Structures are given as structure tokens and as C-alpha cells.
Amino acid sequence: MADPQLPTRLFADREEPAGDRVNMYFKLNTIKVVLKALQPKELDIIRPCFGKLLDVYSKPVFSGKLAHFLLTRQLDVVKRHEIWVVFAGKPVRFSLREFGLVTGLNCGPLPALDRNLVKCPPGVTPYWFTLFGGEESFTGEMLLAKLRRAKSLTSELRIKYACLLLVDGFLCRRSFHMKIPKEHVEMIRDLDVFLKYPWGRYSFDMTMQCIKSRSLNQLAQATVAIQGFIHALVLVLVEAVPAVRSAVGEITDPESGDEDVFPVISLKLDKVWDLDKETKVEVDVLSIIPAPEDVVGLEDCSWADEVRDPGVELILQKIEEGAKFNRGMFVGGYRGAYVHVEPPPSEVKKGKRKVRSQSGRVSSKSKKLKVRSGRSRHTPSDQNSAAFLASVKSEIEAGMKEARGDLFAHVAVELKSMELRLEKSFKYSICSAVADALQAKNAVQKIIEEVGVEFPDPYQQPPPNGSANPGRSSVTQQKKPAGATNLDASSEEVDGSTSRDEDSSSSQTNEELSTTVAEAGEVSSGGNDVVEAVEFASSAKFKKLVDLLTPTIELDFGDGLVLNESEMRAVATSIPPDNPKVMDVCVSVLRESLFKSVDPTTDPRADMLPCKFNGSLALMYSKFKKCRRKDTFEFDADLLSSVTARFTSHGRKWLESIDFLYSPFNIDKNRWIAVMVDLPSHSLSVFDSTADVRRGSRLKPELDFICDMFPYLVRKLGANDLMTSYPLHPLAFVRHTTVAQATSRANTGMLSILFMEAHALGGFEELDRVNESGVRERAEQLAVELYEHCCGDIEEE
């Protein structure tokens, strides 16, 4: 059964393109040349660095077709430095760790090299002339030729030629005629420094960047070129699927015709294909290949710029739990036959050269002739007019036929993409949606009957002069939208009176609204969401507050935040996502009540930031991304001054007295989430009460600006030593979906406030106690706190 939380496929299962091969720039024959050229003592010198790589020649030979097979079975993950492929319905990871295990190379972090090691110091002869003499450039083929005549070389030259060939002619090759970098030649002046360099990470990074840059169109082609050492992916499959080792063929040497043949093991690909398609017998697959105990060079395989992927984390969790994977769990992907592929260029033999020509491409000489003879082509003579029109017609028909094929392919791909997006977006089927609607209607009908409304249909409007129920004459019988400010009292007739003055109208209206809210507890989200009504008794202070809110009232909270009567009423029902000013007022008042800084030992090590804080960062993000030296980026002066003013007012600074920073965040202007920056753990956590609306991988890009910019902002503020030395790599993204979920988006604002308040006071244990049933009561309390903040305590009668 498909799991929507697992990553989807790039290409649909059994719809992958049947590619021919992966073009690589290295040759396994290179290792054989090194083994033949070096003496045993010389091999012992380089074995600590390239030992296991020298044994790769005895492993299964590289198969470009098998590599293409694996690349087209990738999962769609957002990880920057790893891929996952599906074989026999089970995922297999290919990351830096696996690369190091199959190659034996040092994969530690890349050190900061001294400039003198890669650049020749002034006044010193470049080492290039020592190794290669007056040659302006040197390639891998030239090194191969040198090593084939190894007896004419000194021992030092043989070793250094072999090391350069293994690195730049085998592991890190970018093209067939790649030149040896002069920086590497200068580095090998000190052979120990060269051999200790983590060439495994250097080669893997080149390989992975090339894989990640290949689009679906390129993967769907018959051939795709990959730089670096793509053979490691094939070696990982051999280690992860023990049954593949039984698919070996005869010992051959397909890459050379030398008399002294080193044994090369070939793979019978038909057996590999059968293993992947096997359904009757379960094929053992190790999703993560185990590491020997004595392995070295893999102590730190992390990446500073790596990102989190909830789908990959779910795979790892299932692996730890011992879950069994099957091909039905990974769904989605494009159909390979519908992906548009450019036709390969054809080769035309012209003497001793091979000239590539594209079908339909016209030479420059022909183009010039057409331009010069443009008029004559459009004014043919009467004798050949019929032939001319026929040729034009055939050209137009051929062009239209080709265009129709391209259009059909593009439309098919877009339709499939849209189908996948819709499948992920809709949580409920039509049947479940209808059932939910009927259940909500029954709940509303039950509540209306309990409060004594005479109209059986909750969606039917009552007559203008409808009579009230006996015994409930003070309750208005017409439902009013939450947060309504203008209540028409002129049409209401009470005790035969047809008019009243403005003051009595306002008082009566507020009394009716207070009674209705208190007894019925109906909440309208303002959109298409309907919140199930919950009956509870409003506090005396809130009832008094409703009477105090007049249409002309305006409450000033400082810093330019002013709320009118309608905005104050909205706090008790829903904090509108399209009005961040209301949320900022709530955060400001809540911050003062939670973090009074009376006793630093008891106050939470936390602070709350307004919505406009994130908005200011978002406005600067485009310039921040373009800045080459991000440590010199100039943040907005107003933003910096607002944060430093907080430090001064309360005497509490980040990382010194504050570890957690909370702020509400508006998503799509229709719902709220709570964002928490955990400064010590260098992470950004999201408390999302609408987790089913959007997956974490879709939500993270909208918060990347905080993850990327916040470390530099901390450094820029530099209020203490901990801030000035704060790490600059992006914050890790964490999404908590186990928090209370909202049945209506109208409740997301108040739930976000409750999440921030609960975590600040009691951590995750207190956060787990938050539920939607307490939203309305806390909202009324907050509305009272807002009023009392500006106008003093409300006296209860």
C-alpha cells in the first residue's frame, strides 16, 4: 500500500525510460596500468590512500547500462548530497558514507589548504616544470603513456604520476581531454599532504552534483554523461543486493587487448533485470550497507549545507523498525515514454573527421543563400509554381507533425504532474467529504434546537420580524457573523417600539451579542470552513468587555499598533490571517505577561517576536542570496535597532538569557503556524496545526530565508561572545506534526499562540496538552487582557 509520506519516484514504476548507457570519462583500465607500472614497495606507499580503489579492478566491470538503470529509478528527495534508488521494490541509499565504503577513500571534511601548498611561492620554480618539463598542458592520456614506459622513470616520478592519474584521470575526471590542474601538481610537491587529502569527498561531491543537475529529459535520453566516479553507484548495488553477485559472467577484459590480462568480472544484466522484476521470491536488499568495524576515513560524513527531508527520515525510521518495503509503497513519477527527449546528433564521416549534424539543421552557407534569394523564392515562375507549392506544403505538414508530437508529449507530462499534485493535496475522497459535511450540519442543527431557535434549517434566514421564543425574548434569533461591527437595530421591534436613540441601540446590541456568544458559542471562520459549535459559559469580564466595545473605540498598544472595535471582537473568535496587526498585538501583550524579567532564575529562557520581524527578513532575502560574502551583508537598520532595543529594555540577550525565539508565521494568507528558533541546537521548529495541508518538503522552501539568514543576523547583532561566534551554517528544519490539529483554519491563529505559550512555560510536555477545546476560552481571556493592557482592569459586577 502506498504511503503518501514516503518520497515519490522520478519515473513511474515499470514506466522508466529504457536508456542505453551512462557515458563516463574514466576507464577501469587505468588501474591496471598503475598496478603494472609500480613496484611492490611503491604500491605500499600509496595503498593507505588508494588501497581499496586498486582492488576495484577485480570487482564487476563498470556497466553504463546498469548505471543508467539505477539513475532512472531514483526517488524524488530534497537531500543535496545523497540519492535513493529503488531495486526490487526496496530503497537503497547512495551517500558519501556508501561511496567511502566501496572505494576505501578518505571522505573526511575538506581542509582549508595553505595557499603555499597549491600556489607556487614567489621566487620558486613551479613544480610543473619538474614533473612535465616545458609542456603547457598535460592530460590523463599523456600520463598513461608515461606510465606504460615506467622503466624509464625514477621511482618518485612513477609514484607521483600514478597518484595524479588516479585522482585527475580516474576519480575526478570531467571530460575525455581533461587537463591536469596545476594546483594538484603543486600540491603533490609534498607527497604526504597529497595522500592525506580527502579525495573521496572531493570525487563524490563532483559525482553527486552532476547527478543532481541532470533533468528528467536528460535521464530519459538514450545516453547521459556523468562526471566523477559513477562506478561507485554500481559497486553499492553489488554490496546492497547479494544476489547480484550470482549474476556474474565470464572473466574477460573488454577494455584492452594486452597479452598480460588482468581478470575483469562482467555482469549478466539479464539476470539483474530479472532480480528487479522478481515478485514470487523476495530479493534480499540492504537499504544501508553495513560498515566494517575497522573502517577509517568515514568518521565525519556530514555536510554543512545539507537539508532535512521528512520523506528520507521516514524511510530511515522504517528501516530501524524493521519494516518490509515493497514496490507498491513508492508511487508517483513520470511515464518515461511521455518525457520529451531531443534526438541524438548524427555523425557524418567526412574524410578522416567525424562531423556531427542535427536533423533539420541548416548550414550557415545555406542560410546566407536563403536570405539573399528570399524574394526569388516567393516569386516562382509559372512553370515551377506547382512544384514549389507542393514542396512548401510538404514542409509545413512535416513541421506541424513534429510540433503535434512535441505538444502531445509536453501536455502528457504536465497532466501527469497535475494528477500527482492533486492526489497529494486532497486529503479526503468525495465520499468522506460528504460524510463530514452531513455530520457538521447535524451538529449545527442539534445546537440550534438546544438554544431554542424555531427555524429547523440552519442555513435558512429567519423572517425580518421573526418572533422570539417564549422565555428567551432577550436573545436575538438571527445568527450574526463573528466580529460584526454594524448591527442594524432600526428594524428590530421590542415591546412595540419602532425606534430608539443611539446609546440604547448600542447597549442593547452588545447585550444581545454577549448573550448569544455566551449561550450558543457559535464561531464563523470567515471563509468556507465551518467550526463545530461548542457550548461554554463566557466569563463575567468578557461579557462586560462586549458592552464596553463601542463602534468608535480605538485601543493604542504602542509601536503603531492600534485596534478598532471590530478587530478587538475578532480576537475572541478568530485571528484573521490577512490582518497580521491583530496577531502582533496579541504577541506583544502575551510577551509582556510571560517574560516580565522580574526573576531571571524563574523566567523562561525565551522571547517572542512579531510577524513583522519575519516580514523584514523576507524582504531582504533576495539581496542576501545575491551577496557573495554573506558575512558582510548589511541588514536593515530598523530591524537591528528593534532587536537591540529589546535587549536594553529587559536586559536579556540571546544565548545568554534567551535560548528560544517564538514567532507566528502566515502561510498563504489563510492560516497561521508557530515558528521556534532553538538557538543552542541551531534549528528551526514549526508547530503546524494544519499538517495535512502541505508536506514538510513543500513548507520548508517558504522558511528557507529564516534558516539561511538567521545565523548571520545573530553574528551581526553580536551582543555577547556567544552571538559573535555563532555558527553560520543554515538552521536545521524540524516540523512537529504531532501537535493539536485544527478542525477549522479560523482556529490556527489562537492555536499558534497556545503552542508558543505552552512550549515557553513547559517545553514539549506542556505542548502536548494543548487541544482545540480550550481555544475559545483562552481567546476570550486574551481579548480581556488586550483591553486591560490599554484601559485598566475591568470591574466585575
Side-chain angles (χ1 to χ4, degrees), residues 98-134:
E98 285 70 33
F99 185 91
L101 288 176
V102 297
T103 61
L105 297 169
N106 181 7
C107 297
L110 297 177
L113 289 176
D114 187 356
R115 181 178 176 84
N116 293 330
L117 293 177
V118 295
K119 294 290 183 181
C120 180
V124 179
T125 303
Y127 201 60
W128 180 276
F129 295 102
T130 303
L131 292 184
F132 305 129

Side-chain angles (χ1 to χ4, degrees), residues 395-416:
E395 290 180 2
I396 294 175
E397 289 179 349
M400 292 183 64
K401 183 178 180 181
E402 182 179 358
R404 283 196 299 269
D406 293 342
L407 180 62
F408 175 77
H410 283 294
V411 171
V413 171
E414 291 299 326
L415 287 176
K416 183 63 178 179

Side-chain angles (χ1 to χ4, degrees), residues 571-585:
V571 174
T573 55
S574 66
I575 301 177
D578 57 348
N579 190 354
K581 180 176 63 173
V582 178
M583 177 61 82
D584 280 348
V585 169

Side-chain angles (χ1 to χ4, degrees), residues 459-762:
Y459 303 103
Q460 178 181 354
Q461 295 294 330
N465 297 321
S467 59
N469 287 337
R472 300 190 63 87
S473 59
S474 63
V475 181
T476 179
Q477 300 302 313
Q478 184 173 353
K479 288 174 51 176
K480 300 177 178 59
T485 58
N486 298 323
L487 303 177
D488 187 5
S490 61
S491 61
E492 299 180 1
E493 297 184 4
V494 180
D495 298 332
S497 176
T498 59
S499 64
R500 64 188 67 181
D501 56 31
E502 182 178 355
D503 294 339
S504 61
S505 174
S506 175
S507 175
Q508 177 66 19
T509 302
N510 291 335
E511 180 181 355
E512 292 177 355
L513 176 61
S514 175
T515 308
T516 304
V517 171
E519 296 183 355
E522 296 176 352
V523 181
S524 175
S525 65
N528 295 327
D529 299 328
V530 178
V531 184
E532 184 177 349
V534 180
E535 292 196 20
F536 64 92
S538 297
S539 65
K541 279 192 174 184
F542 179 73
K543 294 179 181 179
K544 183 68 175 178
L545 172 63
V546 175
D547 295 334
L548 295 175
L549 293 178
T550 60
T552 59
I553 193 172
E554 287 188 349
L555 302 181
D556 189 354
F557 295 88
D559 199 17
L561 298 175
V562 179
L563 297 187
N564 56 31
E565 176 244 0
S566 62
E567 291 170 334
M568 281 292 297
R569 293 183 188 276
V571 174
T573 55
S574 66
I575 301 177
D578 57 348
N579 190 354
K581 180 176 63 173
V582 178
M583 177 61 82
D584 280 348
V585 169
C586 296
V587 169
S588 176
V589 174
L590 186 62
R591 175 177 178 263
E592 291 190 12
S593 62
L594 289 179
F595 315 120
K596 298 178 181 179
S597 189
V598 176
D599 184 1
T601 60
T602 58
D603 277 357
R605 294 178 58 87
D607 195 6
M608 288 189 178
L609 302 172
C611 302
K612 63 181 181 180
F613 176 85
N614 294 328
S616 300
L617 285 181
L619 292 176
M620 294 182 281
Y621 190 49
S622 59
K623 292 183 180 180
F624 178 81
K625 289 193 297 184
K626 297 177 183 178
C627 182
R628 292 186 178 181
R629 293 190 57 189
K630 293 181 170 48
D631 55 336
T632 62
F633 180 77
E634 293 295 333
F635 286 88
D636 182 65
D638 294 337
L639 176 66
L640 298 177
S641 62
S642 65
V643 179
T644 54
R646 285 171 171 256
F647 295 163
T648 306
S649 62
H650 290 280
R652 304 169 71 238
K653 301 175 182 179
W654 295 352
L655 290 170
E656 188 177 82
S657 304
I658 297 174
D659 292 336
F660 303 100
L661 297 171
Y662 307 95
S663 61
F665 193 85
N666 191 309
I667 298 293
D668 300 332
K669 292 186 178 181
N670 63 7
R671 61 192 179 96
W672 291 99
I673 61 174
V675 176
M676 180 189 72
V677 175
D678 188 342
L679 292 171
S681 67
H682 208 81
S683 64
L684 181 141
S685 298
V686 173
F687 305 134
D688 191 355
S689 60
T690 53
D692 294 331
V693 175
R694 186 178 302 187
R695 289 180 57 182
S697 58
R698 299 283 183 89
L699 180 63
K700 183 187 178 301
E702 298 196 23
L703 299 173
D704 274 345
F705 73 95
I706 302 179
C707 297
D708 296 343
M709 298 179 69
F710 208 87
Y712 291 91
L713 176 63
V714 176
R715 279 272 189 101
K716 190 70 175 179
L717 290 168
N720 52 53
D721 294 339
L722 294 174
M723 294 176 67
T724 55
S725 60
Y726 197 67
L728 293 179
H729 57 269
L731 302 178
F733 179 82
V734 183
R735 185 182 183 219
H736 297 278
T737 58
T738 58
V739 296
Q741 297 297 292
T743 57
S744 169
R745 297 188 183 183
N747 291 341
T748 58
M750 201 60 219
L751 278 174
S752 299
I753 290 178
L754 291 178
F755 293 156
M756 296 187 292
E757 182 181 27
H759 189 276
L761 296 177

